[in-house]
Amino acid sequence: MSKAIIAPSVLASDLSNLTAECKRMISEGADWLHMDVMDGHFVPNITMGAPILTCVKKGVPQIFMDCHMMVADPIKWVPAVAEAGGKLYTFHLEAVADPLPVIDTIHAHGMKAGLAISPQTPSKSISDAAFAGADMILVMTVHPGKGGQKFMPECLEKVKELRERFGWEKDIEVDGGIGPGNICQCAKAGSNVIVAGTSVFSAQSPADVIGQLRKAVDDAIAERKK
Ligand code: DX5
Ligand code: ZN
């Protein structure tokens, strides 16, 4: 059964103090840290790559790095991210002809595999085999490429469809524009892994926001079990 996992996106952090920011978020209650890797091809921006992940892992050995790979050639970066200490490697379905060999390569490098879909990609394009192979599905709730965008509630229909089709065993992550104001919709739709950048890092008390996000997911899970 899926449980609540809260993953602050470091894109909204003070990147000049990335290790300290990751430690701070763990002490505020974060389960994972969401690392947005952008290559300037799959999306127009460039953020960070394996050398930075390596430094973070060195400074925060207990970290679970949830690596969101917004890259045009996902299979290419698997060895470097594994070597850097990435635990979960999530790539975009839009970037590949066939996700299955990428998933196999990620597993062969000792990481969990996540499969992401952007807002324009229907959930039906995730095949039964791809769902079975992946450890997590990421349903984007903004267009990938930058933080601080407006949440797109229509994307949650895809979370519902995936839960109806495949059940509750696997993790479904949502990412983009999420905070206390829309977390209940995300949780009720069936997502259990919550990425939040701006809402957590700009908060007076990140611990409070993380607590609110977690409670909404826990409540939705408890409601479903009734
Ligand atoms: C967008 C990224 C997100 C983003 C989330 O391309 O994948 O992870 O940083 O940040 P907020 O919560 O600010 O939308
Ligand atoms: Zn992301």
Side-chain angles (χ1 to χ4, degrees):
M1 183 62 193
S2 49
K3 61 171 179 131
I5 295 169
I6 312 302
S9 163
V10 302
L11 213 50
S13 74
D14 173 4
L15 289 168
S16 69
N17 282 308
L18 186 51
T19 299
E21 289 284 74
C22 292
K23 284 185 188 160
R24 178 165 74 98
M25 283 304 138
I26 292 169
S27 72
E28 300 272 346
D31 301 290
W32 298 353
L33 271 303
H34 184 83
M35 318 301 283
D36 284 305
V37 175
M38 303 184 192
D39 67 349
H41 291 282
F42 182 73
V43 289
N45 283 328
I46 297 177
T47 52
M48 64 184 97
I52 288 182
L53 302 179
T54 302
C55 290
V56 170
K57 175 72 181 168
K58 217 166 150 192
V60 197
Q62 77 277 26
I63 196 172
F64 186 107
M65 290 195 287
D66 164 26
C67 304
H68 179 191
M69 304 300 295
M70 285 163 274
V71 298
D73 188 4
I75 212 160
K76 178 176 172 185
W77 306 107
V78 170
V81 171
E83 178 77 8
K87 283 272 192 296
L88 168 61
Y89 188 105
T90 299
F91 66 98
H92 274 259
L93 184 57
E94 300 85 14
V96 296
D98 179 2
L100 294 177
V102 185
I103 290 171
D104 287 346
T105 304
I106 294 166
H107 285 155
H109 283 79
M111 296 185 288
K112 290 189 176 219
L115 185 58
I117 50 172
S118 294
Q120 75 278 7
T121 305
S123 52
K124 291 262 162 60
S125 57
I126 297 177
S127 68
D128 292 4
F131 189 90
D135 300 288
M136 185 187 82
I137 303 295
L138 164 54
V139 175
M140 292 295 299
T141 48
V142 297
H143 292 287
K146 57 177 191 242
Q149 302 183 76
K150 196 167 172 287
F151 176 70
M152 299 168 71
E154 61 272 28
C155 297
L156 295 178
E157 289 303 317
K158 296 192 274 184
V159 176
K160 285 187 201 155
E161 193 276 324
L162 289 165
R163 284 302 189 203
E164 276 160 20
R165 193 151 48 112
F166 296 116
W168 297 89
E169 204 131 297
K170 289 201 181 178
D171 290 327
I172 298 188
E173 180 175 66
V174 283
D175 178 12
I178 296 166
N182 51 33
I183 185 60
C184 286
Q185 297 170 62
C186 299
K188 282 185 185 142
S191 51
N192 67 298
V193 184
I194 309 299
V195 177
T198 309
S199 69
V200 169
F201 279 95
S202 68
Q204 278 281 352
S205 167
D208 272 5
V209 174
I210 291 170
Q212 288 177 55
L213 301 176
R214 187 185 307 289
K215 182 171 186 312
V217 175
D218 283 344
D219 287 352
I221 290 171
E223 188 62 31
R224 207 161 44 238
K225 283 184 182 157
K226 271 187 191 166

